[in-house]
Amino acid sequence: MNLKELALRLGLSPTTVSRALNGYPEVNETTRARVMAAAKRHNYRPNTRAIRLATGRAMAVGHVIPLATRHEIVNPVFADFIAGAGETYSRNDYDMVLSVVSDADEETTYRTLRSKGNVDGVILHAPRLDDPRIPLLREIGLPFVVHGRSTGSATPYAWVDVNNRRAFQRATEFLLDLGHRRIALVNGLEFMDFAIRRRTGYLDALAARGIAPDPALMTSEEMTEISGHRIGARMLAQPDPPTAFLASSMISGMGVRRAIEERGLVMGRDVSVIIHDDDLSYMKNGEDVPIYTATRSSVREAGRIAAEMLLGLIAAPGQEPPHRLLEADLIIGQSTGPAPTGPAPR
Amino acid sequence: MNLKELALRLGLSPTTVSRALNGYPEVNETTRARVMAAAKRHNYRPNTRAIRLATGRAMAVGHVIPLATRHEIVNPVFADFIAGAGETYSRNDYDMVLSVVSDADEETTYRTLRSKGNVDGVILHAPRLDDPRIPLLREIGLPFVVHGRSTGSATPYAWVDVNNRRAFQRATEFLLDLGHRRIALVNGLEFMDFAIRRRTGYLDALAARGIAPDPALMTSEEMTEISGHRIGARMLAQPDPPTAFLASSMISGMGVRRAIEERGLVMGRDVSVIIHDDDLSYMKNGEDVPIYTATRSSVREAGRIAAEMLLGLIAAPGQEPPHRLLEADLIIGQSTGPAPTGPAPR
DNA sequence: AATCGGATTCAAACCGCTTTGGATGGCGCA
DNA sequence: TGCGCCATCCAAAGCGGTTTGAATCCGATT
């Protein structure tokens, strides 16, 4: 059942039927009702491909998922971010098209997406320092929103980000207030923009209390359980071990916890741990009470917001690039406590 | 730059240019070379929307991601499955469109996808027992491939699945060979088809050795760390605790491990653990040597295979639905050992 | 020399919708 | 009665490709 056929049955022209269905004013309300009814009755759905060609809009947005060729890692937060964004898209009748692409091909992908007209805009994931994709997208004129920010980028751009600096600053302050002085930072890879900001927040808080950072307490690695465990174990074996850890993700936090418990110590009593919690649906920080004290910010919510921003940008191009800074909550769990006085047990 | 304009510059008709670019035989090779060169020079890319309308094909496949409304869980294996499938799609110039949809709207989504012509086929995720989506898709005539299987489904359908039954049977046998007699099953929710099959494999292995299953050792919950921990703790506190655990995912296995260590026991020495390892890129089972003994099957590879199967189905419809059963590897890690003789320590 | 057939090329229809630029008809008003 | 103005509807021209059916060219065949 297509428009022409429906029009035929109604004894109307395709023009009128199209207008009736799309809510244009120049059609009699009685007629509109008739058309609507007939459309429903015959289960008519306009062909998306035709709409797209006729309107020149793709009614789709792209998410280009870079596959770091070296370690082939798929970022675990994607699933939730996309779930959030997806809700927004379906509500607005947009398709979400994903391109999984090795990062060598990323530039080509954007250019192709643009010239073939597959999408009306894209979300940029996992930005780095002075990310070259930002000027690229600007140059080819494809509307985009960055999930995160890119320190050093000269081009203005739209973004949605968590206030990572402030989150880690607050977390550090919280630990300092509990009396901790040796606080380890288990950070993600620092070519990623968010990792840099987190470190800055950590350093700022230390500096404000006049505490010199100890390089031996600062690491920057992939955020896996293994890596968290290795780092935790190594640091706790030091002569002057940290009494608290600040971990960039729940997963690495779990590794740290394992290292703590392996030494017969108790998390929250002997050693404190704060993690950053993306509030992933398949990785909850406890069921009712949080296990870990955490800086929490829902990545799913970020997805929703980024998607809305992008649709706005597509609808009204040429405006000043908007942005949104989300504050993370500091939620108190059972993994933190006052710094132990005296020598550590064992 | 579009086809008409390119044709104009070349002094050819759009017909010829189109044919030259698409490799049709009825065009002089000299002309073809000229056309190709001009296309490259002017950076011509045919407009996808026009191709789609003209050919009647969407050149896109859909992945409908159900969002269980109750717990709003995004399945953590999606990211990797999709990464695998995505590679296949880009190689074949197909788009991957994701619809995130609450499972109440799932039927509508499939029907809409079909009648609006957004996709040429879909991948069905997370099948349940006698899954109603299978006859639905068959009825509306949308080609599809199921990731997993659906016990009890009368309609034939295409699928790609891991041999879950056999994997868990082998894992159980392995533990039995090590002398374990009280083996706990920490299974996923058993309305999911894969969970049922895993339990069957476990039961089969026990039965083959004449061991009666103990309901107190069999659980079926969401596969989270918390849940694994709770189950592990409860079971280990029983009067006659299990000496081994079989966990349906690495995450729940991590919870079990924590419960073990909390009791001062050592995994692999006092209590054995086998997990199922989907080989997720962000959740590796150890770096060089595996930590957990595991039944391993790459979900990313499954994505690749399912995507290829679907593209095949789209290209040649009406054939007998193909399927592919992937065997899981049983890889030996450090989490298993001979059953302790005598009473458990402590 | 006339005919034939293969190799090339082209004009035009078509895919299913939107949108522009009129037509048509009824009604109020001078 | 004549005119202008709305309200309503329609024919036709796109959108940018693919594909059908036919034309043209040319060397080969008879």
Side-chain angles (χ1 to χ4, degrees):
Chain A
M1 172 62 60
N2 58 18
L3 185 66
K4 200 195 292 185
E5 196 176 329
L6 186 64
L8 212 62
R9 293 191 192 236
L10 282 162
L12 290 168
S13 76
T15 310
T16 304
V17 175
S18 168
R19 284 181 167 154
L21 293 173
N22 291 312
Y24 283 78
E26 59 270 79
V27 44
N28 187 307
E29 284 307 324
T30 324
T31 314
R32 191 193 303 279
R34 259 182 71 218
V35 172
M36 297 285 232
K40 169 150 287 183
R41 183 154 26 91
H42 293 95
N43 197 30
Y44 166 72
R45 305 224 168 283
N47 183 298
T48 307
R49 298 190 289 265
I51 293 182
R52 287 176 172 163
L53 180 57
T55 59
R57 295 180 306 165
M59 297 302 289
V61 317
H63 286 241
V64 176
I65 301 196
L67 217 50
T69 20
R70 285 159 305 169
H71 30 252
E72 292 248 320
I73 260 216
V74 184
N75 190 323
V77 309
F78 275 139
D80 265 69
F81 184 88
I82 276 173
E87 289 176 32
T88 303
Y89 298 141
S90 9
R91 239 200 328 277
N92 294 71
D93 263 314
Y94 268 72
D95 274 356
M96 165 164 66
V97 351
L98 254 66
S99 311
V100 183
V101 67
S102 67
D103 44 34
D105 300 335
E106 211 175 333
E107 175 169 345
T108 322
T109 303
Y110 286 120
R111 291 191 182 278
T112 308
L113 240 33
R114 170 63 173 170
S115 48
K116 298 177 73 165
N118 288 31
V119 301
D120 295 322
V122 296
I123 298 277
L124 190 67
H125 289 279
R128 308 176 173 197
L129 296 178
D130 197 8
D131 200 304
R133 294 171 293 176
I134 291 177
L136 169 69
L137 284 170
R138 167 60 77 116
E139 176 207 328
I140 64 182
L142 192 57
F144 67 103
V145 170
V146 181
H147 177 211
R149 273 173 290 177
S150 174
T151 303
S153 176
T155 352
Y157 59 95
W159 53 265
V160 174
D161 197 9
V162 175
N163 196 339
N164 281 298
R165 191 196 51 70
R166 188 151 157 59
F168 269 46
Q169 184 179 17
R170 285 181 65 200
T172 308
E173 281 166 3
F174 179 78
L175 290 169
L176 290 168
D177 288 344
L178 284 170
H180 296 276
R181 288 298 172 269
R182 293 194 53 75
I183 302 173
L185 176 68
V186 183
N187 207 359
L189 291 168
E190 291 183 356
F191 60 80
M192 298 296 287
D193 194 82
F194 74 89
I196 289 286
R197 291 178 191 271
R198 288 178 181 177
R199 179 152 63 109
T200 306
Y202 163 83
L203 292 175
D204 286 356
L206 291 183
R209 304 281 175 107
I211 298 178
D214 179 352
L217 293 184
M218 293 162 56
T219 61
S220 162
E221 291 194 11
E222 262 177 43
M223 300 181 289
T224 63
E225 204 267 352
I226 315 269
S227 152
H229 173 253
R230 185 180 40 227
I231 294 168
R234 193 183 62 221
M235 289 195 179
L236 290 172
Q238 282 176 189
D240 190 8
T243 62
F245 286 84
L246 196 47
S248 236
S249 85
M250 181 130 104
I251 298 191
S252 50
M254 286 166 63
V256 170
R257 173 187 207 164
R258 188 152 63 82
I260 292 170
E261 291 175 350
E262 246 171 33
R263 291 186 77 82
L265 303 174
V266 173
M267 176 174 81
R269 189 193 67 190
D270 305 317
V271 182
S272 288
V273 174
I274 298 188
I275 63 159
H276 181 75
D277 177 4
D278 290 302
D279 205 15
L280 303 184
S281 59
Y282 59 90
M283 186 116 255
K284 287 287 179 199
N285 180 10
E287 287 173 331
D288 19 70
V289 298
I291 295 179
Y292 295 93
T293 295
T295 56
R296 175 186 287 170
S297 175
S298 162
V299 75
R300 191 144 166 187
E301 179 65 14
R304 246 184 304 255
I305 293 171
E308 267 156 28
M309 189 177 285
L310 181 54
L311 294 188
L313 234 41
I314 290 170
Q319 56 179 295
E320 192 69 13
H323 49 80
R324 176 82 172 275
L325 187 59
L326 307 167
E327 291 300 333
D329 293 326
L330 181 59
I331 61 162
I332 310 301
Q334 304 158 321
S335 64
T336 44
T341 54
R346 283 222 177 161
Chain B
M1 171 60 61
N2 57 18
L3 185 67
K4 201 194 291 185
E5 196 176 328
L6 185 64
L8 212 63
R9 293 191 192 236
L10 281 161
L12 288 170
S13 75
T15 311
T16 304
V17 175
S18 168
R19 284 180 167 153
L21 293 172
N22 291 311
Y24 283 79
E26 58 271 77
V27 44
N28 189 306
E29 285 306 325
T30 325
T31 315
R32 191 193 303 280
R34 258 183 71 218
V35 173
M36 298 285 233
K40 169 150 289 182
R41 181 152 28 89
H42 293 95
N43 198 28
Y44 167 72
R45 304 225 169 282
N47 183 298
T48 307
R49 299 190 288 266
I51 293 182
R52 286 175 173 164
L53 180 57
T55 59
R57 295 179 309 164
M59 296 303 288
V61 316
H63 286 240
V64 176
I65 302 196
L67 218 49
T69 21
R70 284 158 304 170
H71 31 252
E72 292 248 319
I73 259 216
V74 184
N75 190 325
V77 309
F78 275 138
D80 264 69
F81 184 90
I82 276 173
E87 289 177 31
T88 302
Y89 298 142
S90 9
R91 240 200 327 276
N92 293 281
D93 263 313
Y94 268 72
D95 274 356
M96 166 164 66
V97 351
L98 255 65
S99 312
V100 183
V101 67
S102 68
D103 43 35
D105 301 334
E106 212 176 330
E107 175 169 346
T108 321
T109 303
Y110 285 120
R111 291 190 183 277
T112 307
L113 239 34
R114 169 62 173 172
S115 48
K116 298 177 73 164
N118 289 31
V119 301
D120 295 323
V122 296
I123 299 277
L124 189 67
H125 289 280
R128 306 176 173 196
L129 297 177
D130 197 8
D131 200 304
R133 295 172 293 175
I134 292 177
L136 170 69
L137 284 170
R138 167 59 77 113
E139 175 208 329
I140 64 183
L142 192 58
F144 67 102
V145 170
V146 180
H147 177 212
R149 274 173 289 177
S150 175
T151 303
S153 175
T155 352
Y157 59 95
W159 51 265
V160 174
D161 197 8
V162 176
N163 196 340
N164 281 298
R165 191 193 53 70
R166 188 152 157 60
F168 269 47
Q169 183 180 20
R170 285 180 66 199
T172 308
E173 281 166 2
F174 180 77
L175 290 169
L176 290 168
D177 289 345
L178 285 170
H180 296 276
R181 289 298 172 269
R182 293 193 54 73
I183 302 172
L185 176 69
V186 183
N187 207 1
L189 292 168
E190 291 184 358
F191 60 80
M192 298 296 286
D193 194 82
F194 74 89
I196 288 287
R197 291 179 191 271
R198 288 178 182 177
R199 178 152 62 109
T200 305
Y202 163 83
L203 291 175
D204 286 356
L206 290 184
R209 304 281 176 107
I211 297 178
D214 180 352
L217 294 185
M218 293 162 58
T219 60
S220 161
E221 290 193 11
E222 261 177 42
M223 300 181 288
T224 64
E225 204 267 352
I226 315 268
S227 153
H229 173 253
R230 185 181 40 227
I231 293 168
R234 192 183 64 220
M235 288 193 179
L236 289 172
Q238 284 177 190
D240 190 8
T243 62
F245 286 84
L246 196 46
S248 236
S249 87
M250 180 130 103
I251 299 190
S252 50
M254 286 166 64
V256 170
R257 173 186 205 164
R258 187 153 62 82
I260 292 170
E261 292 175 349
E262 244 170 34
R263 292 185 77 83
L265 304 175
V266 173
M267 177 173 81
R269 188 193 70 190
D270 305 317
V271 182
S272 289
V273 173
I274 298 187
I275 61 158
H276 181 75
D277 177 3
D278 289 302
D279 205 15
L280 303 185
S281 60
Y282 58 91
M283 187 115 254
K284 287 287 180 199
N285 180 11
E287 288 173 330
D288 18 69
V289 298
I291 296 179
Y292 294 94
T293 296
T295 56
R296 175 186 286 169
S297 175
S298 162
V299 75
R300 190 147 169 184
E301 179 66 15
R304 244 183 307 253
I305 293 171
E308 267 157 27
M309 189 178 283
L310 181 54
L311 294 187
L313 235 40
I314 290 169
Q319 57 179 294
E320 193 67 14
H323 50 81
R324 177 84 171 274
L325 187 59
L326 306 167
E327 290 300 333
D329 293 326
L330 181 61
I331 61 163
I332 310 302
Q334 305 158 322
S335 66
T336 45
T341 52
R346 284 228 179 155

